[in-house]
């Protein structure tokens, strides 16, 4: 038995041998070498010789940290090595434990006794090893079992151990909050230590604790303040500043006290890190103090002009902290920020970009976008896309809040699409369609931009732009009546290079071509329809109403409501390029009731249009469609195939009946009934329906039919409905229109009050709107009946109709929500349809873990004792002592409640409120309970060590004078004011 | 580690030393790095540390290594893996910065080395290792 063991230890590869071996091997053979070594380690680690075992473990440590080898299997061996008497072996063992142990390591409990032994060892380095390991792998059990040892070490006279014990306390608290009750007092005592290292360690712990849950540490503000004023160690000061940046938000009077010392540090210190921390504290927590803020911004500017990229970067970050509250700070440094956009450093560029976007407002959006686009063109692809992405997201914020000139924005989108590296196709696609649906006035510009994109065959070769093209195709199809030349559009949609498009987008192209075709046919076959419907327009309008509102508003309301006739009118204009401007003018001027001109105008344009849609051009169009789409019938993509099928059905029908129709037409026979005509008309009507934006919560707002039980478990459904036919979806869809625009009033039972309030608001708005233009909601009834009358089975677009109906009504609701325009605008902002979207109630405040509450609960409890102890070594200044006790009691009050809080997250806030609001009242109450406190003080006195009478007493006395004032600040307002 | 390496290599000279690390190592984290000749030092930290002090801390660490190895280079670190660990443990303890004075660190490290040498002197096999250490 001893033989092989001895051999092992004599010929064992040391760590150095292993490393050398690894370096000799090529990357390719490295893995085989590693697995060979691992086999050796597995064998050696079982050796009875402790040295062999520890060397094996050492090698494993190395392989684990640098090559990521699993070493959890060696957990037990690590514990064996830790128990060695040999320091070096012990060290290897502890390293292995800190590297590989975690809360689910089952042998970890075996370590408890060994840790306890080492923690009470006489050798400081052994203690240090144990502490180190404990702070890395601490579990709940370890924390609980070893708390007494840690407590003892906190009182150690050796600062080497003491500060490590302090740092370990943090991990213990995290795992075992009850330890706070035991150790907290000693921790606070160490704040007064003369040893900078120890103060730094304690501050480190408090900094970590306070970042998680600052409220509980407010009572310690006096101690922190003393450090802030007295300490000259930058490490400590930075930690204190971090704590204060949390506390100052909670307690404004504290903020008032600390702002001056912080400014002092900022002026005085030469250490950039400290200055930066001061700046950050002021910008994030004390920005309401103007002089301090000014000083901080000054310092930021110094950072920004510095050559050191680190300072520049941090300076920009600091600015972005303050940009929300004090935009002027950013604007003041605008030149530097813009300059940073062309920095070499991607971090700096990104920060600068964010700041630039923060500066965007409706006044400067043109200018800034222009600058940014020029930067985007110069930058490398990644940053270019970053710029474009942030332009897009900023502009669409809050339903295009900052955009006034939508024509400009749409052409900007077109411009962005053509930037070579643009990867934002999806977002642009979304916005193009969204704007099309929401902003009526911009549609002609949209169609123009769409056309330019569609007719450029070069763009089809670029896959990233395909999404944008799909939006362009959709827009062109949907708003084809605004197009100047639908034939050209058709050619663009059917150009041969569309074969490069992915099938889903190709399907959209085909569908758009379908819409264009229907539109052309309709315009050709029913040239009179438009004329016929146009004169009826003024009749519909009540001149009394229209004259009282502005022309602009009128055209909007009629746009919205009288969809059909209006669309026809628009169409007329669209086809008559020469007349466009004129007729537009007429419409806006003549809507006051000047029916004659309007009538003449439309009939005039109608005749012109007749010339435009000649038989020849229509036949050519049909030929083009047939020729290009027929081959697609054989495609494997169902979407394309189906849509092409629809078109083909139509074209064949038309071709069949067209000659017949022409004969009738030439003879001017009235009332001819041709099947194709009917279909074209129906389809056209169907496509005329506007698609509105749909609220994300629309689905929720659909009322639950009465008597419908919503079962939670849908699995039951099959059993119940097995033999019952599912409800026909169309019923559902038609149901919506009849509930009118008021659908939002009927809500789910479980919706919150807030939501119902919104809906009430929207119904009242709707009512108001109706009062004003009451008549114009009536035609919507007409639309419904039309689409209801559709021959159900034949019409391939039926489902579209249904959707349209539903959306139409959603839209009606939306119209009532269009916000009132702001006055005093040079160029009126077009209406943007907004939905009454109730943003999903986001629970923004993530609840801290219950552990944190446990800690803070315990902290508050202990702080009671702490206050007493600190009061104890105050000067015998009676008044300050009294106040301090009151202070303490006030803290005591909430902490009583606090104890039961651990698992009730919400009450946290209520507690804090309590402590704020009730304070003045309690003051009096506490006088009676003072006695009680005095007694407790006596008890504390006995416990507290006599070591507190240190030579710095004098210095502290000065500090205490300040401190006492602060001690009051959270509690008694009158004292400060 | 490979991802960090890739990011570091992609960064040119004369850019700032901070990297947002949320994508690599979770929220509220950042890297700071610094390189001396062929050695790259990367520290990961969160919002309870100051960025510039972390940069200083790397400096402290590098200084200590320098003192330890006299003109520290890659090979020193490769072969003195455990010594490097000892130094780091003295500076950063359980995720907290404890010692920022490199001579204090040196004192502790030397003590520990002495202790190690003493304990390993008993073992024949390990002389080579301690030979490396005392260099």
């Amino acid at each position: 038995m001893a033989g092989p063991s001895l051999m092992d230890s004599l010929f064992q590869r040391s760590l150095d041998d292993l490393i050398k071996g690894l370096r000799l091997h090529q990357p390719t053979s490295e893995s085989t070498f590693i697995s060979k070594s691992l086999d050796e380690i597995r064998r050696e680690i079982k050796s009875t010789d402790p040295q062999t075992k520890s060397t094996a473990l050492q090698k494993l440590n190395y392989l684990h940290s640098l090559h990521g080898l699993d070493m959890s299997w060696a957990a037990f061996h690590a514990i064996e090595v830790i128990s060695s008497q040999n320091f070096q072996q012990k060290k290897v063992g502890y390293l292995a434990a800190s590297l590989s142990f975690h809360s689910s390591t089952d042998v970890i409990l075996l370590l408890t006794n060994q840790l306890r032994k080492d923690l009470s060892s006489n050798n400081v380095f052994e203690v240090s090893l144990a502490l180190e390991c404990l702070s890395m792998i601490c579990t709940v059990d370890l924390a609980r079992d070893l708390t007494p040892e840690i407590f003892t070490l906190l009182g150690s006279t050796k600062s080497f151990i003491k500060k490590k014990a302090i740092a370990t306390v943090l991990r213990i608290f995290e795992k075992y909050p009850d330890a706070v009750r035991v150790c907290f007092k000693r921790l606070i005592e160490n704040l007064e230590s003369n040893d900078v290292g120890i103060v730094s360690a304690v501050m480190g712990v408090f900094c970590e604790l306070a970042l998680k849950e600052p409220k509980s540490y407010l009572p310690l503000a006096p101690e922190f303040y003393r450090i802030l004023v007295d300490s000259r160690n930058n490490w400590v000061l930075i930690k204190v500043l971090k704590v204060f940046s949390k506390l100052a938000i909670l307690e404004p009077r504290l903020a008032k006290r600390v702002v001056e010392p912080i400014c002092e540090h900022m002026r005085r210190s030469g250490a950039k890190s400290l200055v930066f921390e001061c700046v950050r504290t002021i910008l994030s927590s004390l920005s309401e103090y103007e002089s301090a803020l000014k000083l901080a911004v000054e310092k930021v500017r110094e950072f920004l002009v510095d050559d050191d990229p680190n300072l520049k970067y941090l300076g920009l970050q600091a600015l972005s902290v303050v940009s929300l509250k004090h935009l002027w700070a950013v604007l003041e440094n605008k030149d530097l920020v813009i300059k940073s956009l062309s920095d070499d450093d991607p971090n700096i560029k990104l920060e600068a970009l964010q700041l630039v976007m923060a500066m965007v407002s409706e006044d400067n959006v043109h200018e800034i976008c222009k600058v940014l686009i020029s930067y985007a063109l110069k930058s490398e692809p990644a940053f270019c896309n970053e710029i474009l992405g942030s332009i897009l997201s900023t502009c669409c914020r809050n339903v295009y809040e900052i955009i006034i000139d939508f024509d400009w924005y749409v052409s900007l989108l077109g411009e962005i699409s053509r930037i070579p590296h643009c990867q934002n196709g999806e977002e642009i696609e979304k916005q193009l369609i969204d704007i099309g649906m929401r902003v009526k006035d911009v549609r002609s510009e949209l169609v123009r931009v769409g056309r330019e994109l569609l007719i450029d065959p070069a763009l089809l070769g670029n896959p990233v732009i395909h999404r944008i093209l799909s939006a362009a195709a959709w827009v062109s199809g949907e708003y084809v009546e605004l197009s100047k030349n639908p034939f050209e559009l058709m050619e663009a949609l059917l150009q041969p290079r569309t074969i490069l498009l992915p099938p889903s987008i190709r399907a959209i192209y085909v569908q758009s071509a379908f819409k264009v075709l229907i539109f052309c046919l309709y315009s050709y076959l029913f040239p009179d329809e438009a004329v016929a419907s146009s004169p009826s327009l003024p009749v519909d309008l009540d001149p009394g109403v229209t004259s009282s509102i502005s022309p602009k508003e009128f055209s909007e309301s009629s746009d919205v409501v009288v969809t059909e006739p209006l669309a026809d009118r628009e169409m007329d204009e669209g086809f008559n390029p020469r007349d466009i401007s004129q007729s537009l003018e007429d419409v806006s001027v003549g809507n006051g009731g000047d029916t004659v001109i309007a009538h003449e105008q439309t009939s005039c344009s109608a005749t012109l249009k007749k010339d435009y849609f000649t038989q020849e051009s229509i036949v050519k169009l049909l030929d083009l469609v047939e020729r290009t789409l027929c081959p697609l019938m054989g495609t494997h993509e169902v979407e394309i195939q189906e849509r092409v099928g629809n078109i083909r059905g139509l074209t064949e029908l038309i071709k069949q009946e067209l000659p017949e129709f022409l004969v009738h037409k030439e003879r001017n026979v009235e009332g001819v009934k041709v099947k194709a005509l009917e279909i074209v008309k129906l389809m056209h009507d169907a496509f005329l329906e506007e698609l509105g934006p749909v609220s994300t919560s629309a689905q929720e707002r659909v009322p639950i039919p009465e008597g419908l039980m919503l079962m939670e478990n849908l699995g039951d459904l099959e059993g119940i409905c097995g033999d019952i036919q599912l409800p026909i979806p169309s019923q559902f869809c038609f149901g919506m229109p009849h509930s009118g625009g008021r659908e939002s009033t009927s809500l789910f039972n479980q919706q919150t009050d807030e939501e119902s309030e919104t809906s009430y608001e929207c119904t009242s708005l709707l009512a108001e709107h109706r009062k004003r233009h009451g008549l114009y909601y009536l035609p919507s009834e007409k639309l419904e009946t039309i689409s209801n009358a559709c021959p159900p089975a034949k019409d391939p677009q039926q489902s579209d109709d249904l959707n349209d109906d539903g959306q139409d009504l959603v839209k009606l609701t939306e119209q009532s929500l269009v916000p009132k325009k702001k006055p005093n605008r040079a160029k009126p902002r077009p209406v943007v349809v907004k939905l009454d979207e109730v943003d999903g109630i986001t629970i923004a405040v993530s609840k801290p873990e219950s552990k944190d509450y446990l800690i803070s609960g315990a902290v508050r409890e202990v702080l009671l004792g702490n206050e007493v102890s600190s009061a104890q070594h105050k000067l015998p200044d009676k008044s300050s002592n009294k106040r301090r006790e009151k202070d303490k009691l006030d803290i005591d009050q909430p902490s009583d409640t606090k104890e039961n809080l651990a698992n009730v997250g919400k009450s946290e806030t209520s507690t804090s409120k309590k402590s704020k609001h009730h304070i003045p009242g309690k003051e009096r109450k506490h006088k009676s309970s003072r006695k009680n406190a005095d007694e407790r003080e006596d008890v504390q006195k006995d416990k507290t060590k006599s070591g507190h009478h240190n030579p710095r007493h004098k210095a502290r006395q000065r500090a205490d004078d300040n401190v006492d004032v602060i001690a009051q600040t959270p509690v008694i307002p009158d004292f400060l004011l | 580690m490979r991802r960090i390496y890739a990011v570091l290599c992609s960064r040119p000279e004369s850019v700032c030393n901070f990297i947002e690390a949320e994508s690599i190592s979770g929220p509220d984290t950042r890297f700071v790095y610094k390189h001396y000749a062929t050695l790259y030092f990367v520290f990961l930290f969160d919002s309870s540390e100051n960025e510039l002090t972390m940069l200083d801390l790397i400096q402290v660490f590098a200084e200590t290594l320098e003192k330890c190895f006299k003109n520290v280079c890659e090979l020193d670190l490769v072969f003195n893996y455990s010594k490097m660990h000892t130094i780091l443990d003295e500076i950063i303890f359980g995720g907290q910065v404890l010692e920022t004075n490199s001579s204090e660190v040196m004192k502790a490290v030397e003590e520990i080395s002495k202790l190690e040498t003493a304990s390993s002197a008993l073992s024949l096999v390990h002389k080579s290792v301690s030979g490396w250490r005392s260099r």
Side-chain angles (χ1 to χ4, degrees):
Chain A
M1 200 59 206
S5 170
L6 185 64
M7 289 299 281
D8 272 352
S9 44
L10 276 177
F11 296 101
Q12 186 185 21
R13 243 192 261 264
S14 72
L15 177 61
D16 286 321
D17 299 335
L18 176 76
I19 296 169
K20 278 179 198 155
L22 273 174
R23 292 175 65 84
L24 282 175
H25 280 82
Q26 299 298 316
T28 44
S29 59
E30 198 183 73
S31 62
T32 48
F33 180 74
I34 289 177
S35 60
K36 219 180 92 201
S37 311
L38 191 63
D39 289 339
E40 277 174 18
I41 291 170
R42 279 180 190 278
R43 202 176 60 242
E44 290 161 8
I45 211 165
K46 291 191 188 109
S47 154
T48 49
D49 174 36
Q51 186 56 48
T52 312
K53 195 188 269 290
S54 85
T55 306
L57 193 62
Q58 193 180 24
K59 289 192 283 185
L60 189 59
N61 280 346
Y62 181 84
L63 290 176
H64 171 77
S65 12
L66 287 189
H67 298 271
L69 248 57
D70 173 52
M71 63 180 291
S72 56
W73 55 270
F76 185 74
H77 300 293
I79 291 181
E80 284 181 318
V81 175
I82 288 174
S83 65
S84 158
Q85 293 301 316
N86 181 313
F87 179 75
Q88 199 200 355
Q89 290 167 10
K90 196 186 274 293
K91 188 160 170 268
V92 169
Y94 271 124
L95 180 59
S98 1
L99 285 176
S100 65
F101 284 17
H102 42 82
S103 54
S104 57
T105 305
D106 44 4
V107 293
I108 207 164
L109 279 178
L110 298 176
L111 199 57
T112 316
N113 267 325
Q114 186 59 43
L115 278 172
R116 188 173 287 146
K117 214 174 111 199
D118 287 335
L119 284 176
S120 34
S121 157
N122 284 326
N123 184 339
V124 283
F125 297 105
E126 278 182 12
V127 182
S128 150
L129 281 181
L131 283 172
E132 245 157 52
C133 181
L134 182 60
S135 76
M136 299 290 278
I137 63 168
C138 193
T139 64
V140 179
D141 292 327
L142 284 179
R144 190 189 52 228
D145 296 342
L146 296 173
T147 298
E149 275 73 20
I150 300 296
F151 178 73
T152 318
L153 290 174
L154 279 179
S156 163
T157 49
K158 295 171 191 123
S159 91
F160 180 76
I161 293 300
K162 202 175 191 175
K163 64 186 183 191
K164 291 195 175 182
I166 290 166
T168 315
V169 159
L170 175 66
R171 307 293 161 204
I172 301 268
F173 284 1
E174 274 169 9
K175 294 290 174 194
Y176 180 61
D178 280 344
V180 172
R181 295 192 174 82
V182 184
C183 302
F184 205 70
K185 225 175 68 213
R186 282 218 168 155
L187 202 57
I188 294 168
E189 283 165 15
N190 281 322
L191 273 178
E192 320 219 339
S193 163
N194 288 325
D195 187 332
V196 174
I198 287 177
V199 176
S200 162
V202 182
M203 274 323 293
V205 172
F206 277 121
C207 181
E208 299 259 348
L209 288 173
L211 285 184
K212 279 185 193 132
E213 213 280 313
K215 223 168 285 153
S216 318
Y217 305 94
L218 266 178
L220 286 174
E223 275 79 8
F224 296 150
Y225 182 82
R226 190 180 51 75
I227 294 172
L228 178 69
V229 175
D230 288 351
S231 177
R232 286 289 169 269
N233 181 295
N234 290 340
W235 290 86
V236 177
L237 283 173
I238 285 171
K239 292 284 176 188
V240 172
L241 283 170
K242 283 199 181 283
V243 173
F244 272 125
S245 74
K246 294 287 167 196
L247 297 187
I249 301 171
L250 299 172
E251 183 48 69
R253 281 157 301 180
L254 180 62
K256 205 173 164 190
R257 290 292 307 184
V258 294
V259 70
E260 209 21 65
I262 294 179
C263 285
E264 190 50 43
H265 279 304
M266 202 153 48
R267 284 190 210 102
R268 179 191 57 80
S269 175
K272 289 276 194 293
S273 53
L274 181 59
V275 172
F276 175 66
E277 198 57 51
C278 291
V279 166
R280 184 157 55 190
T281 308
I282 289 196
L283 294 187
S284 67
S285 315
L286 301 164
S287 59
E288 59 272 24
Y289 296 92
E290 207 171 311
S291 60
L293 184 60
K294 276 202 179 121
L295 184 61
V297 173
E298 236 170 71
K299 291 284 176 189
V300 169
R301 198 172 169 92
E302 275 172 31
F303 282 180
L304 290 182
V305 294
D306 203 292
D307 285 335
D308 185 352
N310 291 326
L311 293 181
K312 208 181 271 184
Y313 173 61
L314 294 175
L316 290 172
Q317 275 202 327
L319 274 187
S320 69
V321 169
V322 83
S323 66
L324 275 183
K325 273 200 215 153
H326 301 274
L327 196 60
W328 62 266
V330 186
L331 290 171
E332 216 163 71
N333 296 302
K334 193 174 167 186
D335 50 335
L336 293 172
V337 173
I338 300 259
K339 214 178 103 198
S340 305
L341 276 179
S342 47
D343 202 280
D344 294 333
D345 191 329
N347 286 2
I348 291 181
K349 282 198 284 193
L350 279 180
E351 283 299 326
L353 177 62
Q354 273 171 21
L355 283 174
V356 171
M357 289 339 276
M359 285 191 273
V360 171
S361 71
E362 42 182 58
D363 303 322
N364 60 14
V365 62
H366 288 223
E367 179 201 351
I368 287 186
C369 286
K370 216 172 109 192
V371 172
L372 285 180
I373 296 273
S374 69
Y375 271 107
L377 288 170
K378 277 189 283 183
S379 316
E380 73 273 28
F383 187 60
C384 168
N385 276 309
E386 204 65 55
I387 293 181
L388 299 181
S390 50
I391 292 180
L392 291 173
S393 62
T394 308
C395 287
C396 79
R397 202 167 49 204
N398 281 345
V399 202
Y400 312 99
E401 194 178 44
I402 55 168
I403 308 288
I404 295 170
D405 184 353
F406 274 94
D407 284 351
W408 163 79
Y409 185 57
V410 169
S411 48
L412 179 76
L413 287 179
E415 202 183 316
I416 291 177
S417 319
R418 288 164 179 273
I419 290 177
H421 309 296
C422 175
Q423 298 282 347
N424 302 76
E426 211 164 311
E427 179 63 23
I428 297 177
E429 176 200 29
K430 207 187 92 210
Q431 290 195 11
L432 282 176
I433 294 178
D434 199 40
I435 293 176
M437 290 194 293
R438 286 176 194 270
V439 191
K440 189 130 197 160
D441 294 7
V442 82
R443 283 177 191 166
S444 55
E445 175 69 11
L446 204 54
V447 168
R448 190 189 65 75
V449 170
R451 171 189 164 271
E452 272 171 22
L453 291 172
L454 287 177
I455 59 173
D456 189 349
L459 295 179
L460 284 165
N462 181 2
V464 293
I465 216 172
H466 284 167
R467 301 292 298 262
I468 305 172
L469 289 177
S470 109
W474 184 86
V475 164
S476 309
E478 185 62 23
Y479 308 116
V480 58
E481 64 270 10
L482 300 172
S483 164
K484 284 179 186 158
N485 188 346
F487 296 114
E488 179 196 58
L489 196 61
M490 185 64 107
E491 276 170 38
L493 287 171
L494 299 176
Q495 61 183 295
R497 274 174 71 94
T498 52
I499 195 132
L500 296 168
L501 292 169
S504 61
I505 291 170
R506 217 160 173 215
I508 292 172
Y509 265 62
V510 173
Q511 184 72 3
S512 293
F514 191 27
K515 286 177 183 169
V516 175
L517 176 65
I518 290 285
F519 170 75
C520 292
L521 287 173
Y522 182 80
S523 308
Y524 171 61
L525 296 174
F526 300 94
D528 301 330
E529 283 288 303
V531 188
S533 59
S534 293
S536 71
L537 177 68
V539 180
D540 281 348
L541 306 171
D542 185 347
V545 177
T546 47
S547 57
S548 66
I549 52 177
S550 75
K552 182 75 198 160
E553 215 172 319
F554 157 74
S555 61
E556 271 164 26
S557 59
S558 61
D559 273 0
V560 164
V561 180
V562 201
T563 322
E564 197 181 10
L566 185 83
D568 284 354
R569 195 187 65 200
E570 280 173 358
M571 187 167 62
D572 294 345
E573 291 153 13
F575 292 128
N576 202 344
R578 276 170 297 159
D579 278 352
I580 281 185
S581 54
Q582 204 189 342
S583 61
L584 271 174
E585 221 175 273
D586 277 344
V587 170
S588 49
V589 174
N591 57 33
D594 204 346
T595 51
V596 188
I597 290 178
H599 187 209
E600 274 178 9
Q601 193 62 49
T602 39
S603 47
C604 167
S605 56
T607 41
L608 279 166
K609 193 186 66 187
K610 260 185 212 163
D611 301 337
Y612 192 76
F613 286 103
T614 59
Q615 184 186 353
E616 199 188 343
S617 65
I618 289 288
V619 171
K620 251 170 77 185
L621 183 70
L622 286 171
D623 279 345
L624 174 74
V625 172
E626 286 240 301
R627 201 176 56 242
T628 50
L629 289 183
C630 282
L632 284 177
M633 281 304 282
T635 175
H636 292 298
E637 296 295 331
V638 276
E639 277 289 315
I640 301 178
Q641 200 185 15
E642 198 175 342
R643 289 173 199 211
V644 169
N646 289 343
I647 299 189
R648 256 194 91 191
L650 184 74
T651 48
E652 268 169 19
L653 190 68
I654 300 282
K655 276 201 166 172
Q656 247 171 35
E657 299 193 353
L658 200 58
E660 192 189 340
F661 170 74
L662 290 174
V663 174
H664 286 305
K665 198 179 177 187
E666 269 161 28
R667 287 187 202 147
N668 257 336
V669 179
E670 290 291 324
V672 198
K673 287 280 172 197
V674 185
K675 212 164 77 188
L677 284 188
E678 238 173 280
I679 291 177
V680 170
K681 189 170 174 349
L682 274 173
M683 302 280 250
H684 182 69
D685 288 348
F687 285 141
L688 268 185
E689 298 279 338
E690 267 197 49
L691 296 171
V694 180
S695 159
T696 45
S697 55
Q699 176 86 50
E700 283 166 29
R701 274 191 253 122
V702 177
I704 303 179
E706 261 179 64
L708 176 66
M709 298 286 286
L710 286 178
M711 302 293 280
E712 277 193 20
N713 186 359
L714 286 177
D716 295 353
L717 208 62
E718 265 177 50
I720 300 167
C721 301
D723 46 354
I724 305 171
Q725 273 200 328
L726 285 171
I728 303 150
S730 66
Q731 283 176 349
F732 178 73
C733 291
F734 284 121
M736 266 173 55
H738 295 308
S739 68
R742 252 166 271 143
E743 79 207 59
S744 50
T745 51
S746 24
L747 287 156
F748 276 154
N749 307 344
Q750 63 264 55
Q751 267 173 321
T752 60
D753 291 349
E754 193 195 323
E755 271 180 293
S756 65
E757 223 176 270
T758 339
S759 80
Y760 174 71
E761 209 177 289
C762 93
T763 22
S764 67
L765 268 169
L766 182 68
E768 201 185 304
H769 197 92
R770 279 201 169 153
K771 220 190 262 173
R772 268 165 62 193
H773 326 276
L775 275 173
Y776 311 127
Y777 278 98
L778 294 178
S780 67
E781 286 285 330
K782 199 180 79 193
L783 290 183
E784 276 164 38
T785 40
I786 287 173
S787 40
N788 282 353
C790 278
K794 258 189 184 172
D795 194 342
Q797 294 301 315
Q798 191 199 14
S799 62
D800 259 11
D801 273 5
L802 299 181
N803 283 338
D804 287 351
D805 255 18
Q807 278 158 354
D808 199 39
L809 278 146
V810 174
K811 189 193 72 199
L812 283 184
T813 331
E814 287 147 15
Q815 300 296 348
S816 65
L817 291 169
V818 171
K820 278 173 193 147
K821 271 179 278 172
K822 286 187 202 162
N824 305 333
R825 265 198 189 132
K827 181 169 177 175
R829 186 172 189 256
V831 180
V832 182
V833 178
K834 282 188 189 172
L835 301 170
D836 49 339
E837 273 172 43
V838 186
D839 288 319
I841 311 146
T842 47
I843 302 156
V845 190
S846 61
K847 290 179 187 168
E849 302 149 54
S850 58
K851 277 269 166 66
D852 289 344
Y853 284 107
L854 284 170
I855 296 179
S856 57
V859 165
R860 281 170 195 225
E861 197 179 290
V862 173
L863 275 176
L864 154 86
N866 160 59
E867 286 298 322
V868 176
S869 73
S870 59
Q872 181 252 330
H873 50 252
K874 289 273 149 341
L875 279 186
D877 175 350
K878 255 265 150 115
S879 66
S880 85
N881 249 346
K882 265 187 215 164
R883 285 193 198 100
R884 197 155 253 268
E885 281 149 28
K886 282 176 209 152
D887 179 13
K888 171 202 73 189
L889 286 166
D890 277 322
I891 292 142
D892 188 17
Q893 211 72 15
S895 79
D896 284 345
T897 344
K898 195 71 211 174
E899 272 186 332
N900 331 328
L901 272 184
N903 37 15
V904 195
K906 271 186 193 166
S907 4
E908 173 62 34
T909 37
S910 70
T911 323
S912 74
K913 269 181 204 157
K914 224 195 232 169
S915 67
K916 266 180 193 163
H917 294 309
H918 292 211
I919 281 162
K922 272 179 201 162
E923 203 184 322
R924 251 155 263 131
K925 210 169 71 188
H926 288 153
K927 276 184 184 154
S928 59
S929 55
R930 253 201 65 204
K931 237 184 182 173
N932 194 4
D934 283 341
E935 279 169 29
R936 247 186 278 197
E937 194 184 336
D938 290 338
V939 178
Q940 291 294 336
K941 233 178 226 168
D942 299 336
K943 278 188 187 170
T944 329
K945 289 201 289 180
S946 54
H948 279 293
H949 298 283
N950 56 40
R952 287 207 311 142
H953 201 101
K954 197 91 184 193
R956 207 171 59 228
Q957 176 188 342
R958 185 176 52 78
D960 281 348
D961 287 345
N962 292 331
V963 163
D964 281 341
V965 177
I966 295 203
Q968 294 316 310
T969 54
V971 188
I972 304 165
D974 317 351
F975 188 78
L976 260 187
L977 308 171
Chain B
M1 216 189 274
R2 279 183 210 288
R3 279 170 71 191
I4 298 169
Y5 181 72
V7 173
L8 287 185
C9 290
S10 70
R11 294 173 70 85
E13 297 275 333
S14 80
V15 300
C16 75
N17 302 67
F18 305 109
I19 306 168
E20 298 288 338
E22 309 218 332
S23 59
I24 302 174
S25 53
D28 188 30
T29 52
R30 279 187 203 188
F31 287 114
V32 59
Y33 72 94
K34 201 165 186 178
H35 69 118
Y36 298 91
T38 56
L39 291 180
Y40 270 85
F41 295 93
V42 184
F43 281 18
L44 177 71
F45 65 98
D46 65 7
S47 64
S48 49
E49 305 296 341
N50 178 294
E51 290 82 351
L52 294 170
T53 56
M54 285 299 108
L55 214 52
D56 288 347
L57 197 66
I58 293 187
Q59 179 70 34
V60 171
F61 183 45
E63 255 174 42
T64 318
L65 289 175
E66 191 77 23
K67 280 182 191 166
C68 230
F69 299 114
K70 312 232 166 43
N71 210 352
V72 62
C73 73
E74 199 186 338
L75 285 179
D76 288 328
L77 298 188
V78 168
F79 286 108
N80 292 288
Y81 167 76
S82 64
K83 185 151 196 176
M84 189 188 72
H85 253 287
T86 316
I87 296 171
L88 201 55
D89 281 344
E90 285 306 310
I91 297 176
I92 299 171
F93 177 94
Q96 296 171 77
V97 181
L98 268 197
E99 186 54 72
T100 52
N101 185 337
S102 66
S103 49
E104 286 289 321
V105 176
M106 272 313 289
K107 240 193 273 169
V109 171
E110 270 162 22
E111 294 265 332
I112 292 172
S113 304
K114 245 185 252 166
L115 208 59
E116 280 180 327
T117 324
S119 60
S120 62
L122 299 170
S123 145
L124 240 158
V125 187
H126 236 75
K127 270 209 171 136
S128 62
V129 177
S130 46
W132 273 106
R133 288 241 164 72
S134 57
R135 219 169 54 126

